Amino acid sequence: MSVNNLKLAVRTVLVLLVSTALASAQAVSTASLGGSVKDDQGGVLPGVTITATQTATGQVRTAITKESGDYILTALPVGPYRVEFTLPGFQSHVQSGLVLQVGTSQTVNATLKVGEIFSFTVLTGENTEEKSVHVNYQDLVKDLKVGNRVTVDN
Protein backbone atom coordinates (compact mmCIF):
# COMPACT_ATOMS: atom_id res chain seq x y z
CA MET A 1 0.00 0.00 0.00
CA SER A 2 1.38 3.36 -0.98
CA VAL A 3 1.82 6.24 1.43
CA ASN A 4 -0.93 8.24 -0.30
CA ASN A 5 -3.39 5.35 -0.03
CA LEU A 6 -2.50 4.93 3.64
CA LYS A 7 -3.09 8.65 4.29
CA LEU A 8 -6.43 8.46 2.49
CA ALA A 9 -7.47 5.44 4.55
CA VAL A 10 -6.53 7.16 7.82
CA ARG A 11 -8.45 10.31 6.84
CA THR A 12 -11.50 8.26 5.92
CA VAL A 13 -11.44 6.44 9.26
CA LEU A 14 -11.06 9.74 11.14
CA VAL A 15 -13.96 11.32 9.25
CA LEU A 16 -16.14 8.28 10.02
CA LEU A 17 -15.22 8.38 13.72
CA VAL A 18 -15.90 12.10 14.03
CA SER A 19 -19.21 11.78 12.12
CA THR A 20 -20.32 8.92 14.36
CA ALA A 21 -19.39 10.85 17.49
CA LEU A 22 -21.31 13.94 16.32
CA ALA A 23 -24.36 11.88 15.38
CA SER A 24 -24.32 10.17 18.78
CA ALA A 25 -24.02 13.51 20.58
CA GLN A 26 -26.97 14.89 18.63
CA ALA A 27 -29.07 11.80 19.28
CA VAL A 28 -28.85 12.17 23.07
CA SER A 29 -28.88 15.96 23.43
CA THR A 30 -32.57 15.83 24.29
CA ALA A 31 -34.74 14.53 27.12
CA SER A 32 -38.28 13.28 27.55
CA LEU A 33 -41.10 14.02 29.94
CA GLY A 34 -44.06 11.79 30.74
CA GLY A 35 -46.50 10.76 33.41
CA SER A 36 -50.17 10.43 34.19
CA VAL A 37 -52.97 12.79 35.17
CA LYS A 38 -55.78 11.92 37.59
CA ASP A 39 -58.62 13.75 39.30
CA ASP A 40 -58.66 14.27 43.06
CA GLN A 41 -60.72 11.05 43.45
CA GLY A 42 -58.00 8.99 41.73
CA GLY A 43 -59.77 8.60 38.38
CA VAL A 44 -57.73 8.90 35.18
CA LEU A 45 -58.26 12.00 33.06
CA PRO A 46 -58.09 11.60 29.27
CA GLY A 47 -57.98 14.74 27.13
CA VAL A 48 -55.83 16.86 29.46
CA THR A 49 -53.61 19.32 27.58
CA ILE A 50 -50.02 19.33 28.81
CA THR A 51 -48.01 22.41 27.85
CA ALA A 52 -44.26 22.21 28.45
CA THR A 53 -42.50 25.56 28.09
CA GLN A 54 -38.73 25.74 28.14
CA THR A 55 -38.33 28.87 30.25
CA ALA A 56 -34.87 29.77 28.89
CA THR A 57 -36.01 29.94 25.25
CA GLY A 58 -39.81 30.18 25.39
CA GLN A 59 -40.11 27.10 23.17
CA VAL A 60 -43.46 25.34 23.74
CA ARG A 61 -44.45 21.69 23.21
CA THR A 62 -47.86 20.19 23.91
CA ALA A 63 -49.37 16.75 24.38
CA ILE A 64 -52.80 15.39 25.28
CA THR A 65 -53.39 12.54 27.71
CA LYS A 66 -54.66 9.25 26.27
CA GLU A 67 -57.68 7.29 27.53
CA SER A 68 -55.39 5.89 30.24
CA GLY A 69 -54.55 9.41 31.46
CA ASP A 70 -50.92 8.96 30.35
CA TYR A 71 -48.84 11.34 28.22
CA ILE A 72 -45.31 11.59 26.89
CA LEU A 73 -43.27 14.36 25.31
CA THR A 74 -40.09 13.18 23.59
CA ALA A 75 -37.10 14.92 22.02
CA LEU A 76 -37.38 17.96 24.30
CA PRO A 77 -34.39 20.30 24.30
CA VAL A 78 -32.64 20.15 27.67
CA GLY A 79 -33.01 22.98 30.16
CA PRO A 80 -35.50 24.48 32.62
CA TYR A 81 -39.23 23.87 32.09
CA ARG A 82 -42.63 24.99 33.30
CA VAL A 83 -45.35 22.37 32.76
CA GLU A 84 -49.06 23.20 32.84
CA PHE A 85 -51.96 20.71 32.87
CA THR A 86 -55.38 22.00 31.75
CA LEU A 87 -58.81 20.46 31.19
CA PRO A 88 -62.13 22.33 31.02
CA GLY A 89 -64.04 21.89 34.28
CA PHE A 90 -60.88 21.39 36.32
CA GLN A 91 -58.45 23.74 37.99
CA SER A 92 -55.14 24.03 36.15
CA HIS A 93 -52.02 22.52 37.69
CA VAL A 94 -48.60 24.09 37.12
CA GLN A 95 -45.20 22.70 37.96
CA SER A 96 -42.19 25.01 37.62
CA GLY A 97 -38.50 24.63 38.27
CA LEU A 98 -38.18 21.38 36.35
CA VAL A 99 -34.74 20.92 34.74
CA LEU A 100 -34.38 18.31 32.01
CA GLN A 101 -30.92 16.77 31.63
CA VAL A 102 -29.35 15.22 28.51
CA GLY A 103 -30.62 11.71 27.77
CA THR A 104 -32.98 11.51 30.74
CA SER A 105 -36.67 10.74 31.02
CA GLN A 106 -38.44 12.59 33.82
CA THR A 107 -41.82 11.61 35.29
CA VAL A 108 -44.26 14.37 36.20
CA ASN A 109 -47.67 13.21 37.43
CA ALA A 110 -50.49 15.64 38.18
CA THR A 111 -53.75 15.64 40.10
CA LEU A 112 -56.42 18.06 38.92
CA LYS A 113 -59.13 19.30 41.24
CA VAL A 114 -62.65 19.81 40.00
CA GLY A 115 -63.25 23.41 38.92
CA GLU A 116 -65.30 26.08 40.57
CA ILE A 117 -68.91 27.00 39.94
CA PHE A 118 -69.47 29.08 36.85
CA SER A 119 -72.47 30.45 35.02
CA PHE A 120 -73.34 31.19 31.42
CA THR A 121 -76.31 32.61 29.56
CA VAL A 122 -78.40 30.58 27.13
CA LEU A 123 -80.09 32.47 24.29
CA THR A 124 -82.71 30.65 22.22
CA GLY A 125 -83.51 31.56 18.60
CA GLU A 126 -87.15 32.65 18.94
CA ASN A 127 -87.22 33.69 22.55
CA THR A 128 -84.98 36.61 23.50
CA GLU A 129 -85.47 35.91 27.18
CA GLU A 130 -82.17 35.15 28.91
CA LYS A 131 -81.88 32.09 31.11
CA SER A 132 -78.94 31.61 33.44
CA VAL A 133 -77.71 28.15 34.18
CA HIS A 134 -75.35 27.55 37.07
CA VAL A 135 -73.17 24.47 37.01
CA ASN A 136 -71.11 23.13 39.87
CA TYR A 137 -68.60 20.80 38.23
CA GLN A 138 -68.02 18.95 41.47
CA ASP A 139 -71.70 17.94 41.68
CA LEU A 140 -71.78 17.17 37.96
CA VAL A 141 -68.79 14.83 38.20
CA LYS A 142 -70.30 13.04 41.21
CA ASP A 143 -73.59 12.59 39.32
CA LEU A 144 -71.83 11.22 36.26
CA LYS A 145 -69.76 8.77 38.31
CA VAL A 146 -72.89 7.14 39.74
CA GLY A 147 -74.47 6.82 36.29
CA ASN A 148 -76.84 9.81 36.41
CA ARG A 149 -77.18 12.10 33.46
CA VAL A 150 -77.58 15.82 33.92
CA THR A 151 -79.67 17.65 31.31
CA VAL A 152 -80.48 21.30 30.82
CA ASP A 153 -84.03 22.14 29.72
CA ASN A 154 -84.89 25.39 27.90
Side-chain angles (χ1 to χ4, degrees), residues 112-133:
L112 301 184
K113 294 181 180 180
V114 176
E116 300 299 319
I117 296 174
F118 79 98
S119 65
F120 58 95
T121 302
V122 177
L123 298 176
T124 58
E126 294 176 8
N127 187 352
T128 58
E129 177 183 333
E130 293 184 10
K131 298 177 182 178
S132 291
V133 179

Side-chain angles (χ1 to χ4, degrees), residues 73-133:
L73 288 160
T74 58
L76 293 170
V78 296
Y81 278 83
R82 175 186 186 273
V83 182
E84 183 173 12
F85 301 83
T86 57
L87 181 66
F90 290 84
Q91 296 175 9
S92 296
H93 175 83
V94 176
Q95 183 158 347
S96 299
L98 208 59
V99 179
L100 298 181
Q101 305 288 334
V102 173
T104 62
S105 179
Q106 191 147 354
T107 301
V108 178
N109 298 319
T111 300
L112 301 184
K113 294 181 180 180
V114 176
E116 300 299 319
I117 296 174
F118 79 98
S119 65
F120 58 95
T121 302
V122 177
L123 298 176
T124 58
E126 294 176 8
N127 187 352
T128 58
E129 177 183 333
E130 293 184 10
K131 298 177 182 178
S132 291
V133 179

